[in-house]
Amino acid sequence: MPDLWMPGATRLDIGDHAPTDGGPAKAIPHITWDRNATAARPQDLVPYETLRDYFGSNPDGKRAAPHLLWDPFTGRVTQFVPASSRSKSLADQAGGTRTNRAGSVVIQIEAVFFPYCRVGGKVYAKLTDTPCKGWAEILAWIRSWGVPDAWPNGRPENCTRNATNWATKAGWFPHKAVPENDHDDPLSWPAFTINTPAPSKEDPVPTVITESSDTDSGLRASTWTTVAMAQDSALLQGPVSYSVAAYLRIGGAPGTRVKGRFYDQYADGHGSRDLAIDLGTVGPDGVLDAQVARPGQLADKVQLKLEVWADKPATITYRVLRSLRWTA
């Protein structure tokens, strides 16, 4: 099971945990936007500590706290509730979608930022102008919860509030792209591609593996099925450290619910399975494009495999495995 609390983040549990409703896994990026500055009149950034205390102890702040508060200038992160709980940073109107709960996870991130903030004498117009320290760690953790590197309603710079995408697709939804909400943030957000430092003896170059198959693979209703890639059902075999993502195209009746999970298969035949991740529902066009990701390590002779489940008969028509592999 992925970590409920992000590794490396400061844990400030405010309580008030509540389950999500299930559905496609989502992440919601916000900026705190606590001052209105302009290019002509920039203002100093509100201190991270002030916002941490606001969300962590102020009654009004706790009622709107996200999962993560992120300082993109220093990389500091504070987490207020576990990934499995809803947080409360989105508006949620009575009778509609329960925005803060509408997914297997709905992980919300507030970046400490507003346009034309001033830090160390320098003015930053967009979040992406900042160093974005800590972004790689946040992205890796959110990927581990099954949130794909996708913007179903568009990137923050140009997004819509498409309610169908919100209900049926997994991925990142800017605050501006969430139904029932009227905020314009976050305006920009860092890319999913992470620039890594040059390798060294301590940080060896990984082997990049890409496998694909367009051979149909049937899914029986309400049955977990191991998915083979180009060679066999073993995606990787230890000893190895890895970061892997599987991309699946699934055909079936509209509304068919699909889940996925990785598992470790040991030499003696027993397996250790992850928590199932809701990959979404087949759309009106009879197609669901889904992604499930996982970083980790495999001991000697342990194999990594992937299982998929659907509540109605369905077919995997195409799949791609992309992984980075470091030999242990």
Side-chain angles (χ1 to χ4, degrees):
M1 178 178 178
D3 294 301
L4 291 171
W5 299 89
M6 178 183 154
T10 298
R11 179 171 169 174
L12 181 54
D13 191 348
I14 61 173
D16 190 22
H17 302 172
T20 60
D21 291 340
K26 299 178 177 69
I28 315 297
H30 307 250
I31 57 174
T32 50
W33 209 335
D34 30 22
R35 290 178 178 168
N36 291 315
T38 65
R41 301 188 65 179
Q43 297 191 47
D44 290 338
L45 185 69
V46 174
Y48 172 82
E49 294 79 5
T50 299
L51 291 164
R52 180 198 61 202
D53 294 346
Y54 174 70
F55 289 125
S57 59
N58 182 290
D60 289 336
K62 291 171 73 173
R63 282 192 288 268
H67 288 83
L68 303 181
L69 179 69
W70 170 41
D71 182 348
F73 296 93
T74 67
R76 292 177 293 177
V77 178
T78 295
Q79 185 172 349
F80 302 102
V81 292
S84 57
S85 172
R86 61 91 178 93
S87 58
K88 294 183 176 179
S89 296
L90 292 170
D92 183 4
Q93 298 175 10
T97 176
R98 300 211 298 176
T99 52
N100 291 301
R101 301 174 184 249
S104 56
V105 291
V106 185
I107 300 175
Q108 305 198 50
I109 311 99
E110 287 273 5
V112 180
F113 184 81
F114 56 83
Y116 302 106
C117 62
R118 184 170 49 223
V119 178
K122 183 177 178 179
V123 175
Y124 297 84
K126 299 181 296 182
L127 176 65
T128 50
D129 295 335
T130 75
C132 291
K133 291 183 178 179
W135 167 236
E137 291 77 11
I138 292 172
L139 179 59
W141 180 64
I142 291 176
R143 283 171 171 167
S144 77
W145 280 97
V147 179
D149 295 351
W151 300 93
N153 275 351
R155 283 190 52 86
E157 297 85 350
N158 184 21
C159 58
T160 66
R161 289 195 176 98
N162 185 302
T164 299
N165 288 343
W166 170 260
T168 62
K169 296 184 182 297
W172 289 73
F173 288 82
H175 191 180
K176 184 179 180 179
V178 178
E180 302 180 5
N181 283 255
D182 60 4
H183 286 206
D184 289 332
D185 64 305
L187 302 177
S188 71
W189 200 258
F192 296 130
T193 301
I194 303 297
N195 295 321
T196 56
S200 66
K201 291 182 179 179
E202 292 75 27
D203 182 21
V205 176
T207 300
V208 180
I209 300 172
T210 301
E211 294 183 74
S212 64
S213 176
D214 57 5
T215 301
D216 287 356
S217 178
L219 299 175
R220 295 173 57 191
S222 302
T223 302
W224 285 100
T225 301
T226 300
V227 178
M229 289 295 172
Q231 304 300 324
D232 53 37
S233 62
L235 308 184
L236 294 170
Q237 179 165 311
V240 68
S241 298
Y242 65 88
S243 177
V244 64
Y247 303 83
L248 308 170
R249 172 158 288 186
I250 298 163
T256 299
R257 176 71 63 187
V258 181
K259 299 179 182 180
R261 66 186 180 193
F262 288 103
Y263 71 98
D264 297 339
Q265 182 76 54
Y266 294 89
D268 64 5
H270 82 278
S272 174
R273 285 167 169 79
D274 287 357
L275 180 73
I277 299 297
D278 197 320
L279 301 181
T281 56
V282 174
D285 59 354
V287 174
L288 169 65
D289 289 313
Q291 174 186 324
V292 59
R294 186 206 212 207
Q297 293 181 321
L298 295 174
D300 187 32
K301 298 182 181 179
V302 178
Q303 295 181 339
L304 177 67
K305 297 189 177 184
L306 172 66
E307 292 181 315
V308 177
W309 176 99
D311 65 355
K312 301 174 186 176
T315 302
I316 301 174
T317 59
Y318 184 71
R319 58 259 198 209
V320 178
L321 171 75
R322 293 193 177 97
S323 61
L324 299 179
R325 170 179 173 161
W326 294 266
T327 302

